[in-house]
Each structure stands twice: as structure tokens, then as C-alpha cells.
Amino acid sequence: MYIEDLKFSLWADFIERDYLDREFKTLIDNKIINGATSNPAIFKNAILSSDAYIAQLESLSDLSPKAKYEAVAIYDIQKAADILKPLYDAGDDGYVSIEVDPYLCDDAAATIEEGKRLYKAIARENVMIKVPATEAGYEAMEALTAAGIAVNATLIFKKEQALACAEAFLRGSRAYGKSVATVISIFVSRVDRALDATLRENQVEPALTGIYNSAAIYSAIEAAKVPGCRALFASTGVKDDSLPAHYYIEKLLAHNSVNTAPVETIEAFVAANVKEAALPIDPALIEAHMEQLRALDIDLDAVLEKLIVDGLEAFKEAFTEILEAL
């Protein structure tokens, strides 16, 4: 773990074949990261922009586009899992996540089938199956954890989503008979990107809504006390040049949590040498900020709902672009 006293982990939100052989191993050896995450957009950028995949793709010419994608992704996930395995064996995370087909987000049975199939094909116990937090997703999360499969619940913007994930994980782990490693991935910076222009126009401090929303969700997850389950902060790269590159890691540094971020964001955080926890945040501070939003007639719930829909669509678009290119 990056900060042992806080039980705080840093995971790299990036997968690419050449990177796995070089920088990835260095970050692990230097005890900076102890896990990794991926999503369709990450694989799209890797597969379509790196020469490292050409030879394998040429050997897969007879397969369907989705079969090609899975073969490539499974190879990379297996490689990352093998590199991370010593950490996993030592009880220091060591997980890598792969997401199910985003087009299955409203089909529980298909998500369960694909999650189990990918887990079996990858054949590495330190793999997390990533499932979007939809109504169908909650059912899949329960079924996968009931089978002893580690799960990364993704695209969480609302406390209600997080609690539904926590309840699914609790039911699943009880069915399995022991705790299963799970994370609930709270998306942060997209909230601020949706609101900050309006807040600046009205002299309300920007770059806080995402922090406060995430802090409240973190507290709810901690209060749920689901064995083996942690909050994971995602979407923590900075798009606003006025903010420090490590802003969303520093401001959400918390006990018993994970932050997954782009490599450059992680490097900026390490250079800043921040070790003090920032969470929990006083609920009164959070409520005061939310009251400012309401005074501006900002319906935060509606904003968050739109971000959930937009996030699913973005993953679907990235997945479609990969398949069309293959």
C-alpha cells in the first residue's frame, strides 16, 4: 500500500502492452502502485495507437471483432495480473480490473455470463470483473461475488448507487460463505466539469462539488461496513489547468480507500509528498455547499443522473470504435 498507516492504495488507471513491461513494473518496484484498472476507453486508446498489438491482431484475422478484442484484452490483463501476483500473495491488493461489455449494462443474465466467462478465460484469481452500477449491474454484482469473483462496481455518482452496490456485495459474500474483495468506484472530476463554469459565473467556489459528493459517498460506504469492500475514487485526472495535477488524489486521501488515476497524476501526487488524510469531511461543510447549488437552482441529482447516462454511452462508444477498427 502506498500509505500503510491509512490503508490507502494507488492503482494505475492505464493498460498498454509495452507499458506493462516497463513503467508499470517500475511503479510497483518503487512501492507506488499496487493495482491497475482498465475500461473500454483505455483499451481503445491502447489498441488503436500502439504498435505492440499488430502481430497478435494479424494472427487473429479469422475471428470476429469482439473475439479479437477479448483476446487482446485478456492477454494484457493476464500479463498485468502476473506482474501484480506477488503483491496479491502478500495481501497487498495486487488486483487488475477488466470491464464487461458495456452494451450488457441493462442485462443482468448476460452480464453474469460474460463476467464468469472472462474470469475463467483470464484464469487469474487477482482479477476484478468491472460491472456498471445499474439495476441489472447490482444483480450481476451479487451473483459474481456469490461465485467468489472479485468485483469492481463502476460509474458511481450517487450515494444510492453506492449503497445498492454495498448491499449486493454483502448478499453475495454471505452466499459465498466468506468475504470477497470488492471496490465501489466513485467518479469525481466529471461532476466538477459539469458544474464549474456555472459556479464561477455565480462566484461559488469551483472544484468542490465532486469532492464533497464523493466524500459523502465514501462515508456511506464506510458506514455500511461490508467485509472486503472499499471505496475507490476514479475519474481523478485533472482537466482544469488552474488545479494541481494531483488535486483529486490529495483532496480525497482517505483511510481504507483506493485512488485509481492516470500515471502522470500519480507521479504528481508522489512528488507532492502528501500523507495526511483529507476525509472524512464535516457534513455541515458539504451541506453548506449543496445549499449554494440549490440557491442557483442547480438540481444536482439531475446532473448526476445525466453523468451516469453519459458515462455508459462513452464506454459504449469506445467499445464500438474498437470493434469497428478491428
Side-chain angles (χ1 to χ4, degrees):
M1 289 187 176
Y2 183 68
I3 304 177
E4 185 67 40
D5 290 347
L6 291 178
K7 299 189 182 306
F8 169 74
S9 295
L10 280 172
W11 293 359
D13 194 28
F14 184 64
I15 294 283
E16 191 276 329
R17 195 160 295 176
D18 288 340
Y19 155 80
L20 292 175
D21 285 325
R22 298 194 296 261
E23 294 95 333
F24 187 62
K25 290 180 178 177
T26 301
L27 289 166
I28 292 169
D29 291 343
N30 290 339
K31 302 186 185 306
I32 293 170
I33 64 168
N34 61 344
T37 53
S38 69
N39 60 44
I42 286 171
F43 270 117
K44 182 198 83 171
N45 292 334
I47 294 169
L48 302 185
S49 64
S50 171
D51 293 338
Y53 299 92
I54 293 174
Q56 185 186 10
L57 287 171
E58 287 176 348
S59 74
L60 302 172
S61 58
D62 293 337
L63 299 182
S64 69
K66 184 170 179 178
K68 289 179 187 177
Y69 164 75
E70 285 192 358
V72 169
I74 286 170
Y75 183 96
D76 280 4
I77 294 295
Q78 287 175 326
K79 187 177 189 122
D82 290 342
I83 295 168
L84 289 163
K85 187 63 160 50
L87 294 175
Y88 175 81
D89 290 340
D92 185 17
D93 291 359
Y95 288 99
V96 58
S97 298
I98 183 170
E99 188 162 340
V100 294
D101 181 338
Y103 281 98
L104 304 179
C105 64
D106 294 317
D107 188 332
T111 299
I112 294 164
E113 186 279 329
E114 177 151 310
K116 289 182 175 180
R117 180 176 59 79
L118 286 173
Y119 187 77
K120 183 177 180 180
I122 295 166
R124 303 293 191 276
E125 58 187 336
N126 57 323
V127 166
M128 281 188 161
I129 301 300
K130 206 171 185 184
V131 178
T134 62
E135 289 299 324
Y138 306 138
E139 186 177 335
M141 292 171 200
E142 179 178 350
L144 293 173
T145 50
I149 297 172
V151 175
N152 178 336
T154 191
L155 275 180
I156 284 81
F157 287 92
K158 300 175 65 177
K159 188 187 299 184
E160 293 82 1
Q161 285 179 290
L163 292 177
C165 294
E167 290 162 5
F169 290 151
L170 185 59
R171 292 191 300 268
S173 61
R174 283 175 174 167
Y176 184 60
K178 59 182 178 180
S179 68
V180 179
T182 55
V183 292
I184 297 176
S185 295
I186 309 159
F187 279 50
V188 187
S189 66
R190 295 184 192 188
V191 179
D192 289 333
R193 293 205 295 275
L195 292 175
D196 279 357
T198 299
L199 298 185
R200 285 192 177 95
E201 288 172 4
N202 290 277
Q203 289 76 53
V204 175
E205 188 172 355
L208 281 181
T209 313
I211 298 293
Y212 286 165
N213 183 61
S214 301
I217 296 172
Y218 163 81
S219 293
I221 294 168
E222 285 291 283
K225 297 186 183 301
V226 177
C229 181
R230 290 175 290 169
L232 180 152
F233 299 106
S235 179
T236 52
V238 168
K239 305 295 185 184
D240 183 342
D241 291 340
S242 70
L243 298 173
H246 62 284
Y247 177 79
Y248 288 107
I249 303 182
E250 178 180 352
K251 296 299 183 182
L252 290 167
L253 187 54
H255 176 265
N256 193 40
S257 72
V258 181
N259 199 305
T260 188
V263 174
E264 59 272 20
T265 304
I266 290 171
E267 290 172 344
F269 176 71
V270 171
N273 196 34
V274 177
K275 304 289 185 181
E276 295 291 323
L279 302 189
I281 293 173
D282 184 347
L285 279 178
I286 296 175
E287 179 54 28
H289 181 77
M290 298 308 173
E291 182 56 39
Q292 288 183 297
L293 300 190
R294 289 189 288 271
L296 296 175
D297 291 326
I298 294 173
D299 184 344
L300 182 60
D301 190 70
V303 171
L304 299 177
E305 285 289 346
K306 184 176 186 303
L307 287 170
I308 294 167
V309 172
D310 290 349
L312 287 168
E313 286 304 311
F315 282 160
K316 289 175 183 177
E317 287 173 12
F319 200 70
T320 298
E321 287 175 17
I322 295 173
L323 299 189
E324 288 177 349
L326 296 178

